[in-house]
């Protein structure tokens, strides 16, 4: 296989609770990357899944009156269904209770023992079940974890990982790999944390049972983060490091995580891997957190946003668009209803939707329902087309940095250019004054819409497909290798009757309670 490989992962989600907007956000961001890279010719592997062990899950199962396995089976299925409903193109869904994962965890543990990085001791200190994290006395704020989680005092025999010995090697790794943590500001945070000194990490528990047994000492189960992080290598075949899968996809190209779990993914994970003789991931990107109408999202406040309800109300693609257009990826963002409505109406219905509809209706009415044959291009036509042709390179640069908002901004820049162009050229007037010129103008616009349709695919796959269907672009000709003038729309290709792609959002109280189809212009 010659295509370059690209391995992207979501965090695996705790099954203590039903999925919410935060989970949807992380998974969707990986889908954008996976789809973009596939269209760009990469051999992509996109992994997601569920984190099913640990005290938090064990407690939630008890509250639900189920044994932990039955409980995790149920909630894990909800996470899988959400990823499917979000139209996420994952290739593998891993569950940490699967045999392949237990095997990988135990093999990794064995490696850490062999390298001398694990020793037996005893832990006495604070633990926050909500965070599944250990905290030093000095880190507590008003008797709670710095995250606000309740802590409990734990005293038990425990194996430790010699994290303190990895400080210099971690710093050397970050130094040699400037892109290994994004965004920049987060990279700096991780580096200063490591420079401030690392303590050895407790990596086993004895006071409960729901976890992977430590090889040779089944009184201990592995610390849930050691277990969970290992999922990324389990899924590519670890411990079979000579397998074709492992060689092709490891080290991962991108671990996408929320800012709250960056430390686990860039300090602990890298140290575990290096100690086991496995290369660390190439890049870890931390995104920000959503608030709801200005408030922290929490179950106790009752303001958790259910992604399924959001999709039912606004449609899947508009939600996918909104989440990545509204807030610079990496920053925290606020979810506000009036903003999503504004975006849907301004950018989608009036923007790309209206542009597509106007152009295709004119072609349908005045060009016999087929791609017209253009005449010589004027300077304005060339300028507009040059903008469309240049988009891929510019968008690719942003996607490589996970700057999704900037990628969308670039694409919508061309939507704006095309809107201005159509108003200036006024093909509806040209129809009477210069029909040959009208044909050239409409041809150029159709070609621009083809570019927009192809580039929008990672963000709004279904809507992009509708646009490309209306241009009768064959399914096998929608990859990025088809962008540019060499593969322009062939004149004479018959086109189907145009239909609206992005309905306007009409609030229930002001209209008929439904999304109303956008009328033809
Ligand atoms: N199980 C661990 C991850 C282990 S990965 C080896 C975990 N799970 S989680 O279910 O709690 O969270 C998963 C993701 O959801 C995190 O990336 C987190 O940042 C994200 N979000 C949870 N709430 C969020 C918001 N309100 N906003 C955005 N993302 C948020 O952590």
């Amino acid at each position: 296989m010659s295509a370059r490989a690209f391995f992207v992962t979501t965090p695996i989600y705790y099954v203590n609770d039903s999925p919410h907007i935060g989970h949807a956000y992380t998974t969707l961001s990986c889908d954008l990357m996976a789809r973009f890279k596939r269209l760009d010719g990469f051999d992509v592997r996109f992994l997601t899944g569920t984190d099913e062990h640990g005290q938090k899950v064990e407690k939630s199962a008890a509250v639900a009156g189920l044994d932990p396995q039955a409980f995790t089976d149920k909630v894990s299925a909800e996470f899988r269904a959400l990823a499917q409903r979000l139209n996420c193109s994952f290739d593998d869904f891993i569950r940490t209770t699967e045999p392949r994962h237990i095997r990988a965890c135990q093999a990794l543990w064995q490696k850490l023992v062999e390298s001398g990085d694990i020793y037996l001791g005893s832990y006495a200190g604070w633990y926050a079940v909500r965070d599944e994290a250990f905290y030093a006395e000095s880190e507590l704020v008003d008797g709670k974890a710095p995250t606000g989680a309740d802590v409990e005092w734990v005293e038990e025999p425990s194996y430790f990982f010699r994290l303190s010995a990895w400080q210099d090697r971690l710093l050397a790794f970050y130094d040699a790999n400037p892109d290994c943590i994004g965004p920049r500001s987060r990279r700096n945070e991780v580096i200063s944390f490591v420079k401030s000194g690392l303590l050895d990490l407790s990596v086993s528990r004895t006071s409960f049972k729901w976890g992977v047994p430590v090889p040779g000492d089944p009184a201990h189960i592995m610390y849930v983060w050691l277990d969970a992080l290992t999922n990324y290598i389990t899924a590519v075949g670890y411990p079979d490091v000579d397998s074709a899968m492992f060689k092709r996809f490891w080290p991962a190209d991108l671990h996408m995580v929320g800012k709250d779990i960056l430390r686990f993914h860039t300090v602990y994970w890298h140290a575990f891997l290096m100690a086991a003789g496995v290369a660390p991931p190439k890049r870890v990107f931390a995104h920000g957190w959503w608030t709801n109408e200005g408030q922290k999202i929490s179950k106790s406040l009752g303001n958790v946003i259910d992604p399924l309800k959001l999709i039912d109300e606004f449609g899947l693609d508009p939600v996918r668009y909104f989440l990545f257009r509204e807030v610079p990826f990496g920053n925290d963002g606020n979810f506000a209803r009036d903003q999503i409505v504004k975006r849907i109406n301004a950018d989608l219905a009036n923007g790309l939707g209206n542009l597509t509809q106007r152009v295709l209706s004119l072609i349908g009415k005045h060009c016999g329902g087929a791609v017209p044959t253009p005449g010589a291009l004027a300077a304005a036509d060339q300028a507009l087309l040059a903008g469309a042709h240049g988009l891929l390179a510019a968008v690719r640069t942003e996607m490589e940095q996970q700057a999704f908002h900037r990628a969308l901004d670039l694409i919508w820049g061309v939507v704006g250019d095309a809107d201005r162009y159509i108003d200036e050229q006024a093909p509806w007037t040209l129809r009477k004054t210069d029909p040959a010129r009208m044909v050239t103008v409409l041809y150029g616009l159709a070609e621009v819409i083809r570019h927009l349709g192809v580039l929008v695919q990672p963000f709004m796959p279904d809507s992009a497909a509708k646009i490309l269907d209306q241009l009768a672009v064959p399914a096998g000709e929608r990859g990025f290798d088809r962008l540019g003038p060499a593969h322009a729309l062939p004149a004479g290709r018959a086109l189907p009757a145009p239909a609206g792609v992005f309905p306007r959002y009409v609030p229930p109280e002001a209209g008929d309670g439904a999304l109303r189809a956008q009328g033809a212009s």
Side-chain angles (χ1 to χ4, degrees):
M1 204 182 299
S2 60
R4 280 169 298 162
F6 185 80
F7 182 31
V8 57
T9 67
T10 74
I12 48 170
Y13 302 108
Y14 286 129
V15 289
N16 62 308
D17 204 359
S18 298
H20 63 63
I21 191 75
H23 308 118
Y25 187 52
T26 318
T27 306
L28 280 170
S29 68
C30 293
D31 191 53
L32 304 188
M33 287 307 300
R35 288 180 184 272
F36 188 91
K37 288 285 180 180
R38 281 192 206 103
L39 289 162
D40 214 9
F42 284 73
D43 173 20
V44 171
R45 201 147 181 89
F46 169 10
L47 172 71
T48 185
T50 43
D51 187 353
E52 306 190 358
H53 290 131
Q55 219 171 345
K56 172 150 91 172
V57 171
E58 193 184 64
K59 284 189 174 178
S60 301
V63 170
L66 292 170
D67 80 73
Q69 189 63 56
F71 178 73
T72 57
D73 287 349
K74 177 173 156 286
V75 187
S76 176
E78 285 181 36
F79 276 93
R80 185 192 288 264
L82 175 70
Q84 282 161 342
R85 180 70 185 91
L86 293 169
N87 199 3
C88 284
S89 55
F90 56 94
D91 301 289
D92 190 0
F93 188 99
I94 190 163
R95 301 184 53 190
T96 54
T97 48
E98 288 175 67
R100 62 170 169 163
H101 180 66
I102 315 278
R103 171 172 171 255
C105 285
Q106 293 182 332
L108 181 69
W109 181 280
Q110 212 60 58
K111 282 276 177 206
L112 301 179
V113 170
E114 284 161 20
S115 68
D117 284 281
I118 282 189
Y119 62 90
L120 185 59
S122 68
Y123 179 78
W126 298 103
Y127 192 79
V129 175
R130 195 181 84 190
D131 303 342
E132 295 284 17
F134 300 94
Y135 290 106
E137 180 82 37
S138 58
E139 288 179 282
L140 301 191
V141 183
D142 300 331
K144 291 194 180 237
T147 55
D150 289 334
V151 290
E152 58 190 46
W153 184 257
V154 170
E155 254 184 77
E156 59 188 8
S158 174
Y159 286 96
F160 283 81
F161 174 76
R162 236 177 264 287
L163 186 63
S164 57
W166 286 91
Q167 183 167 338
D168 293 344
R169 282 171 284 185
L170 284 168
L171 290 170
F173 179 84
Y174 307 143
D175 200 43
N177 298 280
D179 292 325
C180 69
I181 304 170
R184 280 260 136 198
S185 54
R186 298 278 173 212
R187 170 188 162 84
N188 298 338
E189 274 173 29
V190 170
I191 292 176
S192 36
F193 171 74
V194 174
K195 279 189 176 155
S196 74
L198 297 174
L199 299 175
D200 288 354
L201 181 70
S202 167
V203 286
S204 75
R205 305 286 314 269
T206 43
S207 48
F208 65 98
K209 286 273 150 264
W210 186 235
V212 179
V214 164
D217 194 349
H220 290 251
I221 55 165
M222 288 183 202
Y223 172 41
V224 67
W225 270 101
L226 173 54
D227 159 352
L229 288 161
T230 304
N231 93 87
Y232 301 127
I233 52 175
T234 303
V236 286
Y238 192 83
D240 302 328
V241 293
D242 294 324
S243 66
M245 174 84 123
F246 194 86
K247 283 188 173 151
R248 180 145 187 78
F249 290 107
W250 195 263
D253 293 272
L254 179 63
H255 287 330
M256 190 67 85
V257 299
K259 62 179 184 179
D260 51 317
I261 55 174
L262 183 63
R263 194 177 289 181
F264 297 96
H265 280 84
T266 51
V267 181
Y268 303 166
W269 184 220
H270 289 50
F272 296 152
L273 287 170
M274 289 197 264
V278 178
K282 292 183 201 155
R283 182 168 169 84
V284 182
F285 187 93
H287 66 67
W289 272 48
W290 284 90
T291 51
N292 185 359
E293 308 285 351
Q295 275 193 315
K296 186 176 163 29
I297 295 178
S298 87
K299 247 197 338 194
S300 51
L301 289 173
N303 64 351
V304 173
I305 301 173
D306 177 351
L308 297 176
K309 288 209 180 108
L310 217 54
I311 296 169
D312 285 344
E313 180 168 12
F314 297 105
L316 172 60
D317 278 356
V319 170
R320 289 177 64 119
Y321 174 79
F322 172 77
L323 291 176
F324 296 99
R325 181 71 196 274
E326 186 67 7
V327 176
F329 197 65
N331 293 6
D332 289 338
N334 179 40
F335 184 87
R337 283 186 65 84
D338 56 342
Q339 283 310 108
I340 186 165
V341 169
K342 231 191 243 169
R343 286 282 179 194
I344 289 175
N345 289 343
D347 300 1
L348 300 182
N350 294 344
L352 181 58
N354 192 41
L355 172 71
T356 307
Q357 181 97 359
R358 276 163 111 187
V359 171
L360 291 174
S361 305
L362 286 167
I363 292 179
K365 276 192 221 143
H366 307 306
C367 305
V371 175
T373 308
L377 298 184
D381 314 342
Q382 277 165 355
L384 181 71
L385 281 166
H389 296 155
L391 261 184
L392 173 61
V395 167
R396 186 190 279 130
T397 304
E398 302 302 353
M399 295 297 286
E400 266 158 18
Q401 297 301 311
Q402 290 74 52
F404 305 127
H405 57 294
R406 286 208 297 264
L408 286 168
D409 217 43
L410 287 166
I411 299 172
W412 259 258
V414 172
V415 174
D417 292 344
D419 271 340
R420 275 185 295 279
Y421 169 90
I422 194 169
D423 287 341
E424 278 159 23
Q425 301 294 326
W428 42 88
T429 309
L430 289 173
R431 184 166 75 88
K432 291 171 213 133
T433 57
D434 188 350
R437 175 73 194 138
M438 173 199 74
V439 162
T440 304
V441 165
L442 291 178
Y443 180 85
L445 283 163
E447 186 51 10
V448 168
I449 292 168
R450 180 177 77 91
H451 279 73
L452 296 171
V454 168
L455 282 163
V456 157
Q457 290 177 100
F459 301 92
M460 296 187 281
D462 292 340
S463 311
K466 282 188 195 156
I467 293 174
L468 295 171
D469 286 348
Q470 296 193 45
L471 290 169
V473 176
E477 297 178 13
R478 296 179 179 190
F480 294 160
D481 57 339
R482 293 286 163 157
L483 293 175
H487 301 281
L489 287 166
R493 173 190 281 168
L495 300 179
V501 175
F502 296 109
R504 267 189 85 71
Y505 179 81
V506 181
E509 56 280 12
D512 51 12
L515 294 177
R516 213 159 49 202
Q518 160 203 347
S521 64

